[in-house]
Amino acid sequence: MDVDADDAVLLRRSEQARTRGDYREGRRLAEHVVARAAAAGDDPPLAEALRLVCNQAARLGDLEDAARAGAEAFTVADRLGDVPGQVEALNLLAFSYLQLALFDEALEAIERSTARAVALDDADLRAATFNRAGTIRSAMGDFDEAAELFDRASAGLTSRDVTSETRFCLLTNTADLVLNRAYSGRPVDAGDLRRGVELSGQSLALAEEAGNPYRRALTLLNRGGLTSYLDDPGPARRDLEAARDLARTHGYRSLELGVVEAYAMDALRRRDFEAATASFTEVVRTADALNDATVLVRAQELLARCHEELGDFRGALEAYRRFHALQTRQRSEAAQVRARLLTQTVELQQLRSHAETLDRQAHEDPLTGLRNRRSFDAALPALLAGAGDGDRVCVCLLDVDHFKVVNDTHGHGVGDEVLRRLGALLREDVRHQDLLARIGGEEFALVCVLRGSAPAGGPVDGVRRRLDRLRRKVEEADWSQVADGLRVTVSLGAVVGARPDPDGGGELLRQADQLLYAAKAAGRNRVVARPVSPR
C-alpha cells in the first residue's frame, strides 16, 4: 500500500473514531498522518489530519495543542486555496480559543470564517459556521446575538446537504443557549425551558443514532440542567447521573465538571446554600485541576455568595479574595497562552505577510482604505447569496456633489483629503456585515441585507431615513478643517428589493445608478430611494 493510500486509511479511521467519540484513538491516528504528511510535503492529507487533531484534542481538554493544530490547519488550507478547509479550520480554532478564554481571538477567527462561508455553495458548512458563531456569542453572554446566529444556522437545515452532525450541534447549542441564560441569572420563562428540553430530546435521538457517547453525555447534561429549572427533580437527576457515568467511563473531564456545576446551580436556585456551597467547592477544585479558567472564576464568585448567604462572612471574604486573585491569574494565564501561541506561529505569520500585503494592495483603495471596485465586484455576489428568502437587499450609490469644483477651487490635495474623510465618515456609519467600497473617483457603494421585520413605514422608508441621516452627517461635518470655506454634500440613490436572481446584483446596481442621477437632477444633496423595479 503506497503512502497516499495509507494516509487515506488512517484519516478514515481517525474520522470514524471521532464520530463514535473515541477521541484518544482518533487523535493518535491523525497525529501519525500529520508526521508522515509533513515529512512528505503532502499538504492535502496534512490539512485534514491537522483539523482532526484540533477537533479531538479540544474534546480531550488539550486546548493549546488544539489551537496550534487549528492555526496550522488554516495555514495549510490557505496555501492550498482550499476555502472550505479554511472555514473548517477557523471554526475549530475559534472553539479552541473560546475554551482558552481568548475571546477576542475566538471572535476574530469566527468572523473570518463567516466571511468565507457565506460565499460558498455549501449549506452544511454555512449552518455549522453560524452555529459556531452563536456558541461563541452565547458563552460570552451576548444571548440575543447568539439567538439570531442560531436562527440563521437553522434556516439552512431544510437542505438535504446538512449532515446529522450539524443538526445535532445546532439543536444542542440552541438548548444550551437557554441554559446559559438561566445560569447567568437572567429570567427565562417556562416555555423557553420546555422548548430547550424538547430540543435536547431531538439531539439525544441523533446522538444515539450516531452511537457517540460524548454527544449523548452532553445532551443529557443540557436536558438535566434545563429540567431542574422546571422543578422536576427526578428526571433531572436521572439525566445528570447518566451524563456523569458516561463522562467518567470515557474520560470526558469537561462534561463531568459540567454535571457538578449543574448540581451547584440547581442548589443555588433553590436557595439551598449549604448544598450549593459543597457543590461549588467541588466545582472549584475540579475546574482548577482541569485549568478551566472560565468555570473556575464563575464558581468561585458564586461560592463567595453562598458563604455570604449563610452568614459565614469570614468564609465569604476569603472566597471573594480568591475570586479576585483568580481573575488576575486568568488574565495573566490568558496572556501567557497568547504569548506561547504567538511565538509558535510568528514564523507562519511572517511567511503569509507578503502575500497578504499583495492581496490588500489588489483589493483595497489606497486613498480611503475601503474596498476598491475589484474587491466590491468580487464580494457582492457572496453577500447577496447570503440573504434569506424573507430578507431585503439595499444597494446604494453615493456621489460627492460638485467634486470637480472642490478640486478646481482648492486643489487636488484637498480633494484627496475630502475623499479620505468621507470614507472614514461612511465607515463609522455602516455595520461590519455591510459592503462598503469606493468604486470610482468620487463615487461610493454601500450594500446591506435587511433581516427580520421591516421598520415602521416599510423597508424603503427605513432605508431612506438611515441614508438621510448619513447625508446630514456629511453635510454637517466641519469641512473647514480641510480648507477654509469648504462645504461638502453628497447625493444618494438606493434601491431596495428581494434577493436578486443570480446576476451578481447587476440589475440592482443599474437601478441604483439611475436613482443617483435622479437625486442629482433634483438639486443634489438628497436621497432618492425606491423599491426595485421589475425588469
Side-chain angles (χ1 to χ4, degrees), residues 373-408:
R373 183 61 190 251
R374 174 182 177 182
S375 177
F376 175 81
D377 289 341
L380 180 60
L383 178 67
L384 298 179
D389 292 336
D391 296 336
R392 293 290 180 270
V393 174
C394 169
V395 175
C396 171
L397 296 181
L398 176 152
D399 193 86
V400 181
D401 295 329
H402 301 298
F403 188 66
K404 184 177 185 300
V405 175
V406 173
N407 279 329
D408 291 346

Side-chain angles (χ1 to χ4, degrees), residues 199-218:
L199 294 175
S200 295
Q202 295 175 28
S203 59
L204 182 60
L206 291 173
E208 290 174 341
E209 179 182 307
N212 186 311
Y214 183 93
R215 297 181 195 173
R216 187 162 182 265
L218 176 61

Side-chain angles (χ1 to χ4, degrees), residues 373 395-402 422 437 439-446 467 471 489-496 507-530:
R373 183 61 190 251
V395 175
C396 171
L397 296 181
L398 176 152
D399 193 86
V400 181
D401 295 329
H402 301 298
L422 179 58
I439 60 172
E442 66 269 25
E443 189 172 9
F444 297 78
L446 171 62
L467 294 178
R471 179 196 62 78
T489 63
V490 294
S491 299
L492 303 96
V495 62
V496 182
E507 177 62 19
L508 293 181
L509 283 169
R510 187 186 67 79
Q511 293 191 27
D513 191 52
Q514 291 176 344
L515 296 178
L516 172 60
Y517 277 97
K520 288 184 171 293
R524 294 182 169 83
N525 190 23
R526 66 194 61 226
V527 176
V528 176
R530 295 175 187 163

Side-chain angles (χ1 to χ4, degrees), residues 309-329:
E309 292 284 354
L310 289 169
D312 179 9
F313 299 113
R314 184 185 297 274
L317 179 60
E318 179 58 34
Y320 276 122
R321 283 175 175 167
R322 179 160 168 72
F323 164 65
H324 290 298
L326 285 171
Q327 281 188 313
T328 302
R329 191 181 89 182

Side-chain angles (χ1 to χ4, degrees), residues 82-152:
D82 176 11
V83 179
Q86 294 169 28
V87 172
E88 290 180 18
L90 287 168
N91 288 349
L92 293 166
L93 185 58
F95 178 75
S96 300
Y97 283 148
L98 178 65
Q99 299 300 102
L100 286 164
L102 300 178
F103 300 117
D104 289 343
E105 286 81 356
L107 283 174
E108 181 196 8
I110 202 61
E111 285 174 359
R112 292 166 67 195
S113 177
T114 302
R116 289 167 169 80
V118 296
L120 297 174
D121 184 20
D122 189 328
D124 184 69
L125 200 50
R126 281 200 305 274
T129 302
F130 284 125
N131 173 58
R132 177 65 68 213
T135 303
I136 292 170
R137 289 293 184 181
S138 175
M140 294 176 66
D142 192 351
F143 301 126
D144 292 339
E145 178 73 12
E148 181 180 340
L149 289 163
F150 287 144
D151 285 344
R152 293 188 69 181

Side-chain angles (χ1 to χ4, degrees), residues 359-432:
D359 182 72
R360 184 168 59 255
Q361 291 172 347
H363 294 89
E364 184 180 285
D365 171 46
L367 185 62
T368 64
L370 302 178
R371 290 177 182 265
N372 60 18
R373 183 61 190 251
R374 174 182 177 182
S375 177
F376 175 81
D377 289 341
L380 180 60
L383 178 67
L384 298 179
D389 292 336
D391 296 336
R392 293 290 180 270
V393 174
C394 169
V395 175
C396 171
L397 296 181
L398 176 152
D399 193 86
V400 181
D401 295 329
H402 301 298
F403 188 66
K404 184 177 185 300
V405 175
V406 173
N407 279 329
D408 291 346
T409 303
H410 300 283
H412 288 278
V414 169
D416 287 349
E417 183 61 22
V418 166
L419 294 176
R420 270 193 292 269
R421 295 202 177 199
L422 179 58
L425 286 172
L426 296 176
R427 189 184 291 111
E428 290 174 0
D429 210 64
V430 302
R431 305 171 302 175
H432 72 276

Side-chain angles (χ1 to χ4, degrees), residues 316-372:
L317 179 60
E318 179 58 34
Y320 276 122
R321 283 175 175 167
R322 179 160 168 72
F323 164 65
H324 290 298
L326 285 171
Q327 281 188 313
T328 302
R329 191 181 89 182
Q330 182 185 34
R331 288 191 292 269
S332 175
E333 289 181 349
Q336 292 173 22
V337 169
R338 189 178 287 114
R340 285 195 296 270
L341 294 175
L342 178 63
T343 299
Q344 292 161 357
T345 59
V346 67
E347 184 177 345
L348 293 174
Q349 291 174 340
Q350 289 173 342
L351 291 173
R352 291 200 303 269
S353 178
H354 182 60
E356 290 173 352
T357 299
L358 293 176
D359 182 72
R360 184 168 59 255
Q361 291 172 347
H363 294 89
E364 184 180 285
D365 171 46
L367 185 62
T368 64
L370 302 178
R371 290 177 182 265
N372 60 18

